[in-house]
Structures are given as structure tokens and as C-alpha cells.
Amino acid sequence: MTAIKHALQRDIFTPNDERLLGIVNVCKAGKKKKNCFLCATVTTERPVQVKVVKVKKSDKGDFYKRQMAWELRDLTEVDAKDANKENPEFDLHFEKVYKWVASSTAEKNSFISCIWKLNQRYLRKKVEFVNVSSQLLEESVPSGESQSVTGADEDTLDDYQELNAREEQDIESMMEVCEYAISNAEAFAEKLSSELQVLDGANIQSIMASEKQVNILMQLLDEALAEVDTIEGKLSSYEEMLQSVKEQMDHISQSNRLIQLSSTNNVHLLEEIEFLVNYMDLSKGHIRALQEGDLSSPKGIEACINASEALLHCMNVALRPGHDRLLAVKQQQLLFAELRDAFARRLTNHLNNVFVHQFYRASYLSLPGHDQSSSLSQHSMELMLPKHSPLHRDLLRYAKLMEWLKNTQREKYEGLMGTYVDYMTRLYEREIKDFFEVAKIKMTGTSKEGKKFGEVSVLLTTLPRKESALKQETESLHGSSGKLTGSTSSLNKLAVQGSSSRRSQSSSLLDMGNMSASDLDVADRTKFDKIFEQVLSELEPLCLAEQDFISKFFKLQQQPVVGGWMEACALECPLLLTTDTLCPQSKWKDTVRLMMNKIFHSIEVELNNLIALGDKIDSFNSLYMLVKMSHHVWTAENVDPASYLSTTLGNVLVTVKRNFDKCISTQIKQMEEVKISKKSKVGILPFVTGFEEFAELAETIFRNAERRGDLDKAYVKLIRAVYMNVEKVASESQKTPRDVVMMENFHHIFSTLSRLKISCLEAERREAKQKYTEHLQAYVINSLGQPLEKLNHFFEGVEARVAQGVREEEVSYQLAFNKQELRKVIKEYPGKEVKKGLDNLYKKVDKHLCEEENLLQVVWHSMQDEFICQYKHFEDLIGRCYPGSGITMDFTIQDILEYFSSIAQSH
């Protein structure tokens, strides 16, 4: 350990001007044993710094490195674990507890003893030693006093000093004079002792010679003491004089402090008065504007806005402690409260009057007999909604006053919100009903003749009527809303005059298959599409403008309103108040949505009625409505996904999608219920033609549409139903062969899908081609068995014998299949008979096939190819089974080609 201590002192601590006093070899408790050294050191320069240093031996070599150091003053406790038993464990409490295990108990005790001594000398017993034996501490301090610490250790700490260069030089010079100093130390010591005695004698003689000078010095000291006594007396008198001056100066200083304190208090009082005057004083002009300001003129409104803002600033000023107890402040606050309440009442009454005036003005202008561009009654055939931008422009002048009212009188603010919503609900309800009645009239193509009016009414009366329930609800809320009802009742009264509807209330694929092009009335569908688009285009800016106005006028972009009016609306529409409503980020949006739902509650109902009417007129109108509604919903969601318009159109889109699905289901059901005539040939089935027209119409409508996926799903459902029902009809057909029905209809489907190029039906297109090809081949084979029937049976028997194991050259020896029998069968089919049979076959095929699909020549050509294949097969069997017999058919392939060509040309 001594060698290690010497190495550590040399390599680590001497370069840092430190001395190593204690060392212990330790490792951390509870971990893999990695030995290190804890060293107690002090610096050689003052002030002395005492440290505990952790030194670790490097893994790559025999040198040591300094790893961590703690100041001894940061050590709070040394825990030796057990004072009675030998235990190498101990804890050092710095900023956290470090647990160590020494290599031996003796090293631990030596290190703790060193720490205790350093604590006694430099930290004045600051460190607490726990579980340390008193015997160990007594051995460290034998006398029991703190002075004993200055023993050998203190000598080691303080008295030891290295020789400087000059001292070393003097010693070397002295040793050079005495050459025997090293070889004979005793002689060198005696010589030094004798020289020291000589010097001591010289010093004593010098002291005795200086006795006279000492006496003189003592006399001078006595005189100096007398002079000091004189000076002390003068200083005492001066001190008494200064004491009186000090008392006077203290009195003057006290007076100055009081004057300064009074001045400071006056300054603070002036600041408080200026603060109250500046921030709690309302000018007479502002008071006059609040009490008598004109709320109708722009200047008056601006003056009232400035006055209300000044009043709000005065009321919201942050008073300093104690201001609220001042009588003047209380009076000002009372005055401000009275001005606020009076102006709030005056503003509320004025805005109520404005709402009423604007409502009745808009209602008056829309009555019959007034030449106004926004009148629906006067211009009943113009599908337009009145614009309320003038009303919004007039009311927006009061937006800042509404914000003031919102911040000061929340109840009156909410009351104005309710009043505005009530009046606008009645106004919009009447205008929207009139607007939709005009749209319904335009859709059904009514004119002034009562007959057509009656026809429209028949359609209208079949729709679900929700207007009456809404009317009763509106009357219960607003009183005399009967004046605002639209022309729905008049149309309902005319319903009894209608004889029958202009056309069937629901179109189907079967109907379309039986109709002519003129009956489809493409112009009516185009007109419906334009009208429906115009309805949505009119509603969209109306709702957006109203929502923008509500947000600006009622200042709903800032602090949301969650109060009595909003809760009342939520009670009427419970679905509107969800958990999202309570989210601070969406409260103001939910408030706007609640108001918009209240004002435009009739839009969704009227749109659903209009959709139902369009579906009654023509079920294919659902395609137009799905595309238009999807586009408008997509546009509204891009602007604001949470807006009223986006939500409402989304709900209506669900209804449109449901009608579209219902239309598809109806077509499928009608396919399943189709019945065919037993006396006439089938031909192209009506629902196959109907699917073609449906696909052509849908591709035109859904070009670049957002909801293409809905159409693709409908395509798949319809085409699978078409395939299934074509097979069903073909199996039930009695007049027309099954293969002909399958061949013609699947050929038509294949041609349609190839022409329209519908990507989602590519697999069905290939399937249609496959079915068409298969049934064409089956029909050709079945038909060709009849012209050469006996020949077919003969060669089938030959093939059966070969299949049973008879060699081909031995077939001619079979009794039923010898050469005479073969010649006999061949003679029955001369060229004329074959041509006659083919002619009869052509006529029969002509009767089976329909003219619409024009497949006669295709089938006839396939039969020609198949007949030639049979002829070649017969010739091959004759050559293999009757070799050298010289038997041949009575006609050749060239004859066959001429037969087929002449028959086709003759017909």
C-alpha cells in the first residue's frame, strides 16, 4: 500500500499541488467488484481545500487516473455500519449516499480516522460520524482536546517544508568546506557545535556592550508616554465637542427624513388621484352618447360604440388595494353600472325594433303585387332565393355594440340572439317553402292549365308531408305564422282535380327496355338535373352568407356562448348537443350550428321532399341527385367540415344514396319477376336492353364524379342479376332454344361492355364473351346433327366399336358396319338431299334468331365450318376403317361451300 500511495502522490496529486494523507482500497457494494482507491487530500496552497478523490486503475496499462472528486465540506455523514464488529463496509453521504466495501477493516478504520482528523481541523466538527467506535476516535486524539490534533499529523500538515534552492546551496557550500562532513559526521557535528558556542559568546558580549543605548531608549519611551497622556486629554475634549455636534446633526437628519417622507406621500397621493381621474372618469360626451345617442345614424352609432368602449374600459380597470373603499370610487362604479344598464336596455329595444322592421319589410316586399326583384310570388317562374345582404349590411353596423353587450349583459345578448333566430326562422321558412314549390312546379312541368296542375298535385300528394308538423311547431313558437305559409296547400287542394300522373311514378329497366327513345324523355331528365343543381346552387350561398353574418354580428369567433338560449335550442334538438359541444375549441362553432339549425330547420325537410318527388317522377333521377349532392357536399366540406351546410347536405346525401340503392334493388327485383311469352321467340331480353341504357346514362352522368365507387358497386350488383336472370329465362324458354337465348343476350352484353369500357366490369365482359362463345358452339353442334342424322349415327357406332377394342381395319368385317351398310347410308345423302337439309336448317335457325342482334350470318358461318369439320372427320374414318374400298361421299368440300353460299344468298 505504501508503494501505491507513493505512486499516487507522484503521478496524480503532486502535479495538482495536493498532498495525499489517507488512502483505502474499496469497491462498490452489491455490484461486480471493480477495485478503486478513495484518497483524502489537501492542497499545498492556502486557503487549504480538503477533498475525497476516487482514483481508478486504467484498464489499458498500469497507470492511474482520477475519476471523481468530492469536497469534504459536502460530506454530511460517515456511516461505519457497525461500531462493535469488524465490518469492511461503510457509507459516505454526499449529495447522495455512496456505499463502499474496503479491502480490510484496518484500512477502513485508518481512512475514517484520517477523515475525522481533517474534519476536526478544517470543518469544525461539521461531519457526523455514525457507528464509529469511540476507541478509534480516542486513539486519534489521545489528550481528548482539540489542541492535540496539532501533533505529528499537524506537523505533517503544516511544519514540513521543502528546502529552497538557496538553502540547498548554503548547505552544499558548508559541506564542501568540511570535506569530512559525509565521511565523519561526528567530527562535523563537533565542529558545528564549537562554532555555535563562539557565536553565542559574541552575541552575549554584544548585548552587554549595548546597555547604555538601552537606558537611553527607556528614557525616550518614558517621554513618549507622557506625550501620549497629553494627547489623550486633548482628544477627550475634542470628543465632547463632537458629541454635541453629533446630537445636533441627528436632530437635523430626523427633520429631513420627515420632510422627505411627507414629500413622498404627496407624490404617491397625486399618482393615485391621477390614476383614478384618468381611468375612472367618463367624459360628458360619452355619457350623453350613452343616454341619448342616435342608434339609427352612422355617426350616432359610432359615437355610441366609442362611448360603450370607454365605459367598459372604466368598469374593467384594475383597482389598486384600498380603492374600493373610497366613497368617490363607489359613486363612480354606481354611475357606470346605471349607464351600462340603461344603455343595454336602450340598445336591446332598438335592435329588437330593427329585427322586427327588417322582418316585416322583407315579408311585405315578398307579398303579391310588389314589383321587387327578390319576390318569389311576383316572379314565380324564376327559381331564385331572395338575397338578404342589405339586411346583413345594416345590422353589421351594430356588431361592436353586440360585442359590448355580450361582455356586459349576457342575458340581453342571448335574448337578442333568440329574437333574431325567431324572426329569421319565420322569414326563411316562408321563402324556402315558396322556393321549393317553384322548384317542384318546374320539375313536373306544370302550366296554367288546371289539368296539368292536377297532374302535379297527384305526384305531390304521394310524398310524405312534414310541412304541417313544422307549421304547427312554428305557430307555437311565433304566434301568427299562418301568414307565412307557402303555396303547398293550394297544390294539395288541386290534387282532387288531377286525373292521372303524366307518366309512371317509377321507371324501371323493364320499362326502359319496352319504351321507345322518345318515351325516355331525355330532355325531362336534363331539365330535372339543371333544376336540382340550381336549387343547391341557390341554397349554398344563402346558408354560407347567413352563417358568416351570424359569426360576425354575434362575435362567435371569439368567446363562445353557452347559456340559456343555446341550452333551449339543444333541448329542441338533442342530437345537436354532443360531447364535442363542451370542447372549448369547438364551442363557438357549435353555437353557430345550433342557430343555423334553428333558422334553416326546413331546408333538410324540403330537400328530402324534393328528392322524393324526383324519385317519383323518374327513379333514374337519383343518379343525377347523387352526383350533384356529392359534389356540393365535397365542396362544403373543403370550406368547413363542421359547418351547418356541410352537415345538412351530408344528411340529405344519405337519403339520396338510399334512394339510389333502392332504385338498383327495384331493378333487380323486376328482373327476377320478368315473364316471357310462350308463343313468341325470346330475342334480346328487356332488362338486358335496359341495363345497356342504364349504363349509357350512368356513364354520362357520373363522368368525373366524386362518388364513382357507388356506381361501380351498383354495376356489379346489376350485371350479376342480369346474368342470373338471363340463364333463368333461357332455362324456362319453350319457343326458343336455351343456347340461342344465352348466345344472343350474352353477345349483346359483351358488345355493350366493350363499347362503354367500364373498368370495374372487365371480368364480367370476359365472362359474357366466354358464355356467348360456348353457347354459339353448342347451338351449332346440336343443330348440325340433324341434316346428316343417319350418317352421324353410323359413324358414332364405328367409333364405339373402335373404343371397345376392335381394330380400325377390322371394323368393315362387322355385320352392322360393313362396306355395304356404309354405301347404303351414303346413298341416302346425295348432294341434293344435303342441300335440301341445309336449306331447312337455315330456315329453322332464322326462326330461332332475333333480328335485333343480327347473328344469323355469324351462326351460319360457324355451321359451315362445323359441317366441313364433320365431313373431314367422316372422310378420315372411311380412310382408316375402310382402306382401299374406294368409298367416298357423294359431295365434296367445294360442294359444301357452294351449298352454304347459295342458301345464304337465296334468303
Side-chain angles (χ1 to χ4, degrees), residues 131-389:
N131 297 323
V132 180
S133 64
S134 57
Q135 182 180 1
L136 177 64
L137 301 181
E138 289 174 359
E139 290 176 357
S140 302
V141 189
S143 63
E145 297 179 0
S146 61
Q147 296 296 331
S148 65
V149 183
T150 60
D153 291 331
E154 183 179 1
D155 294 339
T156 304
L157 295 175
D158 292 340
D159 296 341
Y160 173 77
Q161 291 183 357
E162 295 182 0
L163 297 176
N164 55 32
R166 183 174 180 182
E167 291 173 344
E168 290 179 356
Q169 185 178 1
D170 291 341
I171 291 176
E172 290 176 355
S173 300
M174 183 176 62
M175 294 177 70
E176 289 176 355
V177 173
C178 302
E179 295 179 354
Y180 56 88
I182 297 176
S183 59
N184 191 351
E186 292 181 359
F188 180 64
E190 289 179 0
K191 183 177 180 179
L192 291 178
S193 177
S194 62
E195 289 181 357
L196 181 61
Q197 290 176 359
V198 173
L199 291 175
D200 287 341
N203 287 336
I204 292 172
Q205 291 177 1
S206 177
I207 291 172
M208 293 176 64
S210 61
E211 183 179 0
K212 183 178 179 179
Q213 285 82 356
V214 171
N215 292 331
I216 296 172
L217 179 61
M218 294 296 294
Q219 183 179 359
L220 291 175
L221 289 175
D222 291 338
E223 293 176 357
L225 290 174
E227 188 67 25
V228 167
D229 292 338
T230 303
I231 293 173
E232 286 182 354
K234 291 182 180 181
L235 289 176
S236 298
S237 62
Y238 293 157
E239 185 178 0
E240 292 177 357
M241 295 172 62
L242 290 174
Q243 184 65 30
S244 62
V245 173
K246 179 178 177 300
E247 292 176 357
Q248 294 177 3
M249 292 303 296
D250 289 342
H251 181 70
I252 294 172
S253 175
Q254 182 67 21
S255 300
N256 288 337
R257 281 199 300 272
L258 293 176
I259 293 171
Q260 186 176 3
L261 179 62
S262 176
S263 177
T264 304
N265 290 338
N266 290 334
V267 170
H268 288 167
L269 179 60
L270 181 60
E271 290 177 354
E272 297 293 331
I273 294 173
E274 288 178 350
F275 171 79
L276 294 176
V277 171
N278 291 334
Y279 293 100
M280 293 199 66
D281 185 33
L282 196 62
S283 67
K284 294 181 179 180
H286 286 161
I287 295 176
R288 190 182 309 110
L290 292 173
Q291 293 176 342
E292 304 172 358
D294 185 9
L295 290 171
S296 301
S297 64
K299 290 185 178 180
I301 294 174
E302 184 177 0
C304 290
I305 291 173
N306 294 334
S308 62
E309 290 177 351
L311 175 62
L312 184 62
H313 180 72
C314 291
M315 295 185 70
N316 293 336
V317 65
L319 295 176
R320 296 171 183 174
H323 283 177
D324 54 348
R325 289 181 284 180
L326 296 177
L327 179 60
V329 173
K330 293 180 179 179
Q331 292 175 350
Q332 282 294 97
Q333 289 177 338
L334 182 61
L335 174 63
F336 294 156
E338 292 175 353
L339 289 173
R340 177 197 62 194
D341 295 341
F343 182 68
R345 286 193 300 272
R346 196 163 70 89
L347 177 62
T348 303
N349 293 334
H350 178 78
L351 290 178
N352 274 323
N353 293 334
V354 171
F355 294 161
V356 174
H357 173 72
Q358 294 289 352
F359 168 73
Y360 283 110
R361 178 174 177 271
S363 301
Y364 176 76
L365 292 177
S366 62
L367 291 175
H370 293 278
D371 187 13
Q372 298 291 337
S373 60
S374 62
S375 174
L376 278 172
S377 299
Q378 182 69 15
H379 303 278
S380 59
M381 299 312 294
E382 295 181 7
L383 193 58
M384 295 176 58
L385 278 169
K387 301 298 185 291
H388 295 285
S389 53

Side-chain angles (χ1 to χ4, degrees), residues 863-890:
M863 286 185 170
Q864 174 183 298
D865 295 340
E866 183 63 28
F867 194 85
I868 292 173
C869 288
Q870 286 187 9
Y871 179 86
K872 291 180 179 179
H873 179 62
F874 295 157
E875 288 289 336
D876 181 61
L877 285 175
I878 292 172
R880 287 188 286 111
C881 296
Y882 303 93
S885 63
I887 301 174
T888 59
M889 305 288 285
D890 288 346

Side-chain angles (χ1 to χ4, degrees), residues 788 791-792 794-796 798-799 802 808-812 817-819 821-827 870-891:
L788 304 177
L791 198 59
N792 277 328
F794 181 85
F795 282 111
E796 286 176 359
V798 171
E799 290 176 341
V802 173
E808 292 179 346
E809 58 272 13
E810 294 178 358
V811 172
S812 60
F817 302 101
N818 56 26
K819 297 177 183 179
E821 291 294 328
L822 176 60
R823 290 190 181 96
K824 184 178 178 181
V825 173
I826 291 175
K827 285 182 180 180
Q870 286 187 9
Y871 179 86
K872 291 180 179 179
H873 179 62
F874 295 157
E875 288 289 336
D876 181 61
L877 285 175
I878 292 172
R880 287 188 286 111
C881 296
Y882 303 93
S885 63
I887 301 174
T888 59
M889 305 288 285
D890 288 346
F891 52 91

Side-chain angles (χ1 to χ4, degrees), residues 634-742:
W634 180 79
T635 304
E637 287 179 348
N638 284 342
V639 175
D640 184 4
S643 66
Y644 163 78
L645 182 65
S646 175
T647 304
T648 302
L649 293 183
N651 295 337
V652 176
L653 178 60
V654 173
T655 303
V656 174
K657 178 61 170 60
R658 191 178 297 118
N659 289 347
F660 174 76
D661 294 339
K662 182 180 177 183
C663 173
I664 301 301
S665 300
T666 302
Q667 312 313 318
I668 295 174
K669 183 177 180 181
Q670 290 174 351
M671 292 180 197
E672 296 171 352
E673 296 174 354
V674 67
K675 301 295 181 182
I676 60 172
S677 175
K678 297 181 180 179
K679 297 181 180 180
S680 59
K681 59 184 177 183
V682 177
I684 303 301
L685 294 170
F687 54 79
V688 173
T689 307
F691 174 78
E692 177 185 9
E693 296 179 3
F694 172 82
E696 290 175 349
L697 178 64
E699 287 301 310
T700 303
I701 296 173
F702 277 79
R703 187 177 293 112
N704 300 325
E706 285 83 4
R707 293 182 71 96
R708 176 75 193 191
D710 295 329
L711 179 62
D712 291 342
K713 293 177 183 178
Y715 273 149
V716 175
K717 291 181 181 178
L718 283 175
I719 198 68
R720 299 318 307 176
V722 169
Y723 283 8
M724 182 180 65
N725 287 284
V726 166
E727 294 181 1
K728 175 184 173 185
V729 172
S731 300
E732 297 174 354
S733 174
Q734 298 179 2
K735 185 71 174 178
T736 307
R738 178 178 183 274
D739 290 326
V740 173
V741 177
M742 298 287 286

Side-chain angles (χ1 to χ4, degrees), residues 464-483:
R465 304 298 295 171
K466 295 185 180 181
E467 286 87 343
S468 58
L470 290 172
K471 177 181 176 182
Q472 292 175 2
E473 181 183 354
T474 307
E475 288 177 352
S476 65
L477 289 173
H478 309 304
S480 59
S481 62
K483 298 178 182 180

